[in-house]
Amino acid sequence: MHRQPRVRALSRRPRLRRRAAAVLAPLLLLGAAACGGPPAPDRGPVPPSGAAPAHFRHPGVLVGGAQLSAVRRHVAAGEEPWASAYRAMRTSPYAAPDYVPHPAETVACASNAGTEACVAEREDALAAYTQALMWSVTGERAYAAKSVQIMDAWARVIKEHTRDDADLQTAWAGSSWARAADIVHAGYPGWGAPAVQRFKWMLRKAYLPAVTAAVPDYNGNWELAMTDAAIGMAVFLEDRRLFEQSVRRYRARVPAYFYLASDGALPKPPPGGTIRTADQLAAYWFGQRTYRDGLGQETCRNFMHIGYSLAATAHIAETAWHQGVDLYREEAPRIAAALEFHARYQLGATAPSWLCGGKVERTMGPDVEVALNHLQGRMGMRLPQTERLAAGQRPGGTDGLFVAWETLTHARNPTPA
C-alpha cells in the first residue's frame, strides 16, 4: 500500500545500529560510526578493467531510459498497476507543485533521535526524485524545475552530517539525490552547469565520506544502504573508481548477509570485521543458530530491516546492470532464496520453532519490486511467494527513507539496459 510521507521525530524510528547490548557485549566491540569524517581507506587494488563502464549510461541510477519510456506508455494507456501507482505518486505531498524544501547546514542524527533536519533531508531528497519521475512521465518542465530547486536549495546550504547515524542518514538521502539528479541531468537543459557543479560538490563533500566509511560489524543493512547511495553517486558523478569500490562492497557484503547452505555450516562473517566464531555469529544474527537457505542476518530482528537490505541489494545490482555489470547473476540463487524465504513468512506462514524461536516480526515494506522484475522478468526464475507479496503491496509507495514508487518504475518492466 502507498505510504504517505510523514514528518516525524527520528526518535520514533527503531534503533538501526547494533548497540553493545547484553547479549553482544562479551562477544564484539563496535566501532563508533563515522560522522562525516574522511573517506574510508582504499580497500585494495582496483578490480580488472570492465568492472566499471568506459562510458556511463544516463539515466542509469536504478532506472534506465527504456524503463522510463515503458512507464510513460503504460500510464498513458491507463494500464495497471502503473496507472494506480502513478496516481499515488501524483497525489502524494512529494509531488506537490508548491513543495518547499527545508535545507540545513548541519544534519545531526543520533541513533533513535535527531534534529528535524534529519527527516526534512530524507523527505526533500524523496521529493526531488518524485518530481523528477513526474517530469519523466508527464513531460511537464515545471516538475524538473522543482526537482532542481530542491536539489539546489540543499547544495547551497548543507555542510556536514554529524552524530552516530551520519552514515545511515547520508545513505538514505544520498540514494534519492543520485536518482533524482541522474534523471534530470540526462534530459533537462534548465539545470545549468554552475548548479550542477554545486550539487556534485555537495555529494562529494557532505555525503561520500560517510557512505564510504567502514562499518564491518554493524548490522548489514547499513553497508548495503551505504553502497546503494555510493554506486548511484558514482554513476551520476561518472566516477569509475567509486563504482568499482561499490561493486567490491556488494560482492563482499551480500554473501555475508543472506545465507546459502553452500556457505558451510555457518554464515560468512561480515567482511573486514571482528565477528568470527559460532557464538559471535549467532549473537550477530540475533540469536539464530540454525541456518537455512535465504535466512538473513537481521531476520530475527524484524522483517523491516530485511526489507531494507533486500531493496538496497537490488538497487545496487540494478544500477550496475544499467551500466553493463551483471551483479544479479553472480548472486541470483542467494537473492532468490532470500526473497522467497521472507515473502513466505511475510504473507503469514507460521514460523517453525527453529526460526527465531517461532516468532518473526512481519514488517516488510514495498521492497521487492526491483529484484522480482529482474530475477523473474529478465532471468525467468520462478518466485511465486515474492510475486504474491508484490501483488498484494501494489501500488507500492515510499517507505519515507530510500524506497519510492517502485511499482511504477519496475513492476513487470523487464526492459533492456
Side-chain angles (χ1 to χ4, degrees), residues 5-249:
R6 291 181 290 171
V7 177
R8 52 187 172 183
L10 193 64
S11 61
R12 293 186 180 180
R13 292 214 179 273
R15 190 175 300 270
L16 297 176
R17 180 163 62 105
R18 178 176 298 279
R19 292 300 190 184
V23 66
L24 293 174
L27 300 177
L28 61 136
L29 179 62
L30 297 178
C35 299
D42 183 30
R43 292 183 174 85
V46 175
S49 61
H55 302 284
F56 288 96
R57 300 170 184 169
H58 307 285
V61 177
L62 184 60
V63 291
Q67 285 178 317
L68 293 171
S69 294
V71 170
R72 286 192 291 274
R73 292 195 301 270
H74 290 313
V75 171
E79 296 169 348
E80 294 294 350
W82 307 278
S84 294
Y86 170 69
R87 285 194 297 272
M89 181 175 74
R90 177 175 54 82
T91 57
S92 76
Y94 294 138
D98 58 351
Y99 187 95
V100 177
H102 295 87
E105 182 174 297
T106 297
V107 180
C109 304
S111 288
N112 225 27
T115 62
E116 290 184 0
C118 302
V119 175
E121 180 186 38
R122 296 195 300 269
E123 294 195 334
D124 287 355
L126 286 167
Y129 179 50
T130 301
Q131 299 277 344
L133 287 175
M134 288 295 300
W135 169 64
S136 179
V137 174
T138 68
E140 296 179 20
R141 292 168 64 93
Y143 288 115
K146 176 59 71 173
S147 183
V148 168
Q149 178 194 15
I150 296 167
M151 290 188 285
D152 200 49
W154 278 88
R156 289 177 179 274
V157 172
I158 189 169
K159 287 186 170 56
E160 61 180 351
H161 293 82
T162 65
R163 306 187 72 177
D164 48 0
D165 269 5
D167 304 342
L168 196 57
Q169 174 73 15
T170 51
W172 288 336
S175 296
S176 299
W177 287 135
R179 294 166 203 162
D182 204 54
I183 290 174
V184 174
H185 192 236
Y188 177 61
W191 195 9
V196 172
Q197 288 304 119
R198 187 160 48 240
F199 188 77
K200 289 181 176 181
W201 186 248
M202 177 193 84
L203 295 182
R204 289 200 178 276
K205 299 297 288 185
Y207 290 84
L208 279 179
V211 300
T212 56
V215 289
D217 288 347
Y218 288 17
N219 286 315
N221 79 86
W222 274 62
E223 190 167 32
L224 289 168
M226 291 159 65
T227 307
D228 181 6
I231 199 168
M233 293 181 201
V235 172
F236 175 64
L237 296 170
E238 299 201 328
D239 187 326
R240 297 185 76 252
R241 188 169 188 83
L242 177 60
F243 184 94
E244 291 164 350
Q245 288 173 342
S246 301
V247 168
R248 287 201 297 274
R249 293 189 89 174

Side-chain angles (χ1 to χ4, degrees), residues 188-375:
Y188 177 61
W191 195 9
V196 172
Q197 288 304 119
R198 187 160 48 240
F199 188 77
K200 289 181 176 181
W201 186 248
M202 177 193 84
L203 295 182
R204 289 200 178 276
K205 299 297 288 185
Y207 290 84
L208 279 179
V211 300
T212 56
V215 289
D217 288 347
Y218 288 17
N219 286 315
N221 79 86
W222 274 62
E223 190 167 32
L224 289 168
M226 291 159 65
T227 307
D228 181 6
I231 199 168
M233 293 181 201
V235 172
F236 175 64
L237 296 170
E238 299 201 328
D239 187 326
R240 297 185 76 252
R241 188 169 188 83
L242 177 60
F243 184 94
E244 291 164 350
Q245 288 173 342
S246 301
V247 168
R248 287 201 297 274
R249 293 189 89 174
Y250 170 97
R251 287 172 170 160
R253 177 59 76 167
V254 171
Y257 190 89
F258 298 111
Y259 176 79
L260 281 181
S262 57
D263 298 335
L266 298 175
K268 294 178 180 292
T274 63
I275 301 167
R276 298 289 173 184
T277 70
D279 286 343
Q280 289 173 335
L281 285 164
Y284 186 55
W285 286 59
F286 290 85
Q288 184 69 15
R289 288 183 178 272
T290 300
Y291 304 102
R292 302 283 174 83
D293 283 356
L295 188 77
Q297 182 251 314
E298 294 177 277
T299 299
C300 294
R301 182 184 190 183
N302 54 57
F303 280 18
M304 177 175 65
H305 289 87
I306 285 290
Y308 295 163
S309 298
L310 285 169
T313 296
H315 294 168
I316 299 161
E318 184 77 1
T319 296
W321 187 81
H322 283 295
Q323 304 305 322
V325 178
D326 193 353
L327 296 180
Y328 280 117
R329 189 166 297 278
E330 295 178 12
E331 294 294 351
R334 191 182 302 273
I335 297 170
L339 287 167
E340 288 292 276
F341 183 95
H342 293 94
R344 179 186 177 208
Y345 294 111
Q346 179 69 26
L347 287 166
T350 300
S353 59
W354 63 263
L355 176 62
C356 311
K359 297 179 181 179
V360 293
E361 189 174 318
R362 298 174 173 87
T363 48
M364 191 183 299
D367 301 318
V368 302
E369 291 278 24
V370 176
L372 177 66
N373 181 58
H374 187 91
L375 270 63

